Amino acid sequence: MARVVVLGAGIVGLMLLNSDGHEVVVLERDAAPPVGDHDALWSGWERRGVNQFRLLHYFQPGFRAHLERELPSVAAALDATGALRHNALALVPEQLSGGFREGDEQYEALTARRPVMEATLARSATSMPGLDLRRGVAVAGVVMGASAEAKIPHIAGVRTSSGEELSADLVVDALGRRSPLPSWLEVAGARAAVEEREDCGFVYYGRYFRSADGSVPAMIGPLLQDYGSVSILTLPADNGTWGVGIIVSSRDKKARALKETATWERTIAAFPLAA
């Protein structure tokens, strides 16, 4: 049995946990735990370390398949909390698709707003034996061990901002694209990490909606609709909610007015299939 330290208790960090019998410690800088139902999580749970926490999310069919295969209890918990099972192929008119066929069920997604999804994963994780989820703990660097091979540093754990050292057989970095781990490894004597970065050139302005009866409106267009210099993204979510995003060039200064609710609403009204 190994001792594993996972840095970051977001979606990726929590998904790494399973029932293989290892001792797992998850360290998360944000202190607040998930509290309340889906409404309370959406309005009140703060995850300052996740910039996109309340932006549009859609969890793809591969995510659902992995959950049902490796963590079926988590998939069941998501169903119980109101997560949406959504298969875009089932919504395409039969005249266009030829009808729903055997095997198309693999394209079913199990999706929700990010706070609802992450809270369900976190609550499921805390019930796992051998798991220690510590919130409000920031990591300041790595702990070095004896190297098995010359010039290749061996990481034997991490050091928190309070000075505590946690030993580990394996350290997993799930801190995201802003992770300081590459700089820690350089300090430890490792070769500099090779990174390639490109600005995607797009920005999106999104809002979430909820129906009065808990249903999701019928789709009369694809999830992503391209209109040349503008795209519209419509993503169904949990408990009768859905998100709508207007995607534009990040260089379009006039489009920054979409931050204003009235401007956003006037703009989306100009695209009937989404409106």
Side-chain angles (χ1 to χ4, degrees):
M1 182 178 72
R3 177 178 168 87
V4 182
V5 172
V6 180
L7 312 182
I11 297 293
V12 173
L14 292 169
M15 279 294 296
L16 289 166
L17 307 177
N18 55 38
S19 55
D20 288 346
H22 302 302
E23 178 187 357
V24 180
V25 179
V26 181
L27 305 179
E28 169 55 50
R29 184 179 62 181
D30 290 340
V35 176
D37 63 7
H38 55 88
D39 284 335
L41 292 166
W42 175 254
S43 61
W45 190 22
E46 293 298 329
R47 292 283 276 110
R48 298 187 183 278
V50 185
N51 290 339
Q52 70 276 23
F53 195 52
R54 287 184 175 82
L55 295 181
L56 274 62
H57 279 76
Y58 186 80
F59 295 87
Q60 300 282 359
F63 173 84
R64 186 268 314 154
H66 183 78
L67 273 184
E68 292 182 336
R69 181 175 61 251
E70 303 290 344
L71 299 166
S73 63
V74 179
L78 283 166
D79 286 326
T81 201
L84 177 70
R85 288 186 176 267
H86 178 262
N87 192 322
L89 286 182
L91 303 175
V92 178
E94 186 174 342
Q95 304 94 302
L96 298 178
S97 69
F100 197 79
R101 289 170 282 185
E102 182 179 355
D104 286 348
E105 65 277 359
Q106 67 181 302
Y107 301 111
E108 179 181 74
L110 180 58
T111 190
R113 291 166 293 175
R114 172 69 179 264
V116 177
M117 178 66 72
E118 191 166 316
T120 305
L121 287 170
R123 289 165 175 168
S124 298
T126 55
S127 66
M128 293 179 178
L131 169 67
D132 182 11
L133 174 54
R134 305 184 188 182
R135 294 192 179 274
V137 178
V139 177
V142 293
V143 175
M144 303 301 300
S147 294
E149 189 171 339
K151 298 183 180 181
I152 298 180
H154 176 68
I155 308 303
V158 298
R159 183 178 66 260
T160 70
S161 57
S162 67
E164 181 183 6
E165 293 189 354
L166 300 173
S167 62
D169 299 300
L170 174 66
V171 175
V172 178
D173 175 21
L175 293 174
R177 61 186 177 89
R178 294 180 296 172
S179 171
L181 186 63
S183 62
W184 296 341
L185 293 177
E186 282 194 69
V187 171
R191 290 177 295 178
V194 177
E195 293 184 272
E196 293 185 8
R197 297 186 181 186
E198 287 290 340
D199 188 340
C200 69
F202 297 100
V203 63
Y204 65 96
Y205 300 87
R207 297 189 67 196
Y208 268 94
F209 299 86
R210 179 164 56 187
S211 64
D213 61 2
S215 65
V216 175
M219 292 177 57
I220 57 175
L223 296 179
L224 180 62
Q225 301 174 26
D226 178 25
Y227 295 96
S229 63
V230 175
S231 293
I232 308 297
L233 184 64
T234 305
L235 299 179
D238 63 283
N239 295 287
T241 64
W242 64 95
V244 182
I246 302 174
I247 307 171
V248 297
S249 168
S250 58
R251 297 187 296 272
D252 188 341
K253 295 181 180 180
K254 291 184 178 180
R256 294 173 188 174
L258 291 168
K259 294 179 181 179
E260 303 297 329
T261 300
T263 302
W264 190 96
E265 290 179 343
R266 287 197 305 270
T267 303
I268 203 69
F271 300 92
L273 291 182

